[in-house]
Amino acid sequence: MLYIFRIIIILSAFLSWYAAASTTKTTVHTKVHHARIYRHYSHKHQGHLIHHHTGHVYKKHHHLTKQQELHHTRHVHKKYHHLTKQQELRHLRLVRHKIFHAYYGWKGTPYYFGGSSHRGIDCSAFVMKMYRQVFHRYLPRTTLGQVKLGRRVRKDQAKLGDLVFFKTGHNERHVGIYLSHGDFMNSASSRGVSISNLHHIYWQRHFWQIRRLVTI
């Protein structure tokens, strides 16, 4: 009987210890679980607070992004603008090449008043044929007809393809095609089809005006 009583006491003590251990384990597990839940929702809530209370910061960065986009747009615009300039330069070189190619076909042709062939050609006929060949534009046959075309520009604004006019006598007019740096091609009575320069004293003395018929 005493033996059975001891067994019951030992069993009761064991059950009490197991119950206490289980409660402690459950409490620890619950705390850990609750800690995880807390961290999860705290992080989520913290992110919400950060987004709510620092919206201006987000807007600021968003604004900076717009500035960056604007900068990028300007860069692209500048790039395409630069490419356009390159295209303009290529076009200018092409026109210059066409003008000189046409010029060398006439270079050395003697001057002949009223002429319009390789046997002899005057200044207005030379300009007329050059414009037809290079710019596919038909000009009047005479200098007085050509001077009425386009618009007048200053000498320091002269560009490739402009027409340069001179008053070489009381009723005499002369015309040539401007190149660059004062040079222009013409059919002169002294040298035929050749290149002259505005800075030469003869042309300075007889200079009249420059007119732009085409925009290059």
Side-chain angles (χ1 to χ4, degrees):
M1 188 68 180
L2 181 62
Y3 178 74
I4 295 174
F5 181 71
R6 288 179 178 176
I7 292 176
I8 292 173
I9 291 174
I10 293 171
L11 184 60
S12 297
F14 175 76
L15 290 174
S16 298
W17 173 83
Y18 180 78
S22 298
T23 301
T24 304
K25 182 177 181 181
T26 302
T27 302
V28 173
H29 177 72
T30 302
K31 288 182 178 180
V32 171
H33 179 66
H34 286 175
R36 290 175 179 173
I37 294 174
Y38 175 77
R39 286 196 300 269
H40 173 72
Y41 283 99
S42 294
H43 178 71
K44 183 177 180 180
H45 183 63
Q46 183 181 12
H48 174 72
L49 289 176
I50 291 174
H51 179 74
H52 178 73
H53 292 291
T54 61
H56 66 283
V57 176
Y58 171 77
K59 289 180 180 179
K60 180 179 179 182
H61 283 286
H62 183 68
H63 180 64
L64 287 176
T65 302
K66 289 295 184 182
Q67 286 181 339
Q68 292 172 354
E69 289 177 357
L70 181 61
H71 175 72
H72 177 69
T73 303
R74 289 175 178 173
H75 175 71
V76 172
H77 177 73
K78 184 177 180 181
K79 178 180 178 181
Y80 280 99
H81 182 68
H82 181 63
L83 288 176
T84 303
K85 289 296 184 181
Q86 288 182 340
Q87 291 173 352
E88 289 178 357
L89 290 175
R90 285 197 295 268
H91 176 68
L92 184 62
R93 287 195 293 267
L94 177 61
V95 174
R96 185 183 298 273
H97 173 76
K98 292 176 66 176
I99 287 179
F100 274 96
H101 178 74
Y103 164 74
Y104 284 117
W106 288 94
K107 182 182 179 183
T109 300
Y111 176 86
Y112 182 75
F113 181 75
S116 59
S117 68
H118 284 86
R119 290 180 297 177
I121 191 170
D122 61 21
C123 61
S124 58
F126 171 70
V127 169
M128 180 187 69
K129 289 183 175 291
M130 288 289 293
Y131 255 69
R132 185 183 302 176
Q133 184 173 345
V134 177
F135 301 111
H136 308 287
R137 181 167 177 175
Y138 291 83
L139 302 186
R141 172 65 179 81
T142 65
T143 304
L144 291 178
Q146 295 171 1
V147 78
K148 298 176 182 179
L149 304 177
R151 62 184 178 89
R152 191 167 182 168
V153 297
R154 298 199 311 263
K155 187 185 295 186
D156 60 348
Q157 294 178 331
K159 292 184 179 181
L160 179 69
D162 291 346
L163 296 189
V164 188
F165 294 91
F166 304 87
K167 290 183 177 180
T168 54
H170 182 66
N171 292 318
E172 297 177 1
R173 303 294 182 265
H174 185 72
V175 63
I177 300 176
Y178 189 82
L179 299 173
S180 62
H181 305 292
D183 289 337
F184 65 96
M185 59 179 60
N186 65 134
S187 179
S189 58
S190 58
R191 297 189 300 163
V193 175
S194 57
I195 293 178
S196 305
N197 193 281
L198 291 174
H199 301 304
H200 189 280
I201 189 161
Y202 176 82
W203 300 115
Q204 283 184 343
R205 185 166 60 246
H206 296 289
F207 176 79
W208 181 16
Q209 60 176 292
I210 297 177
R211 304 193 69 84
R212 183 162 299 159
L213 280 63
V214 294
T215 301
I216 300 175

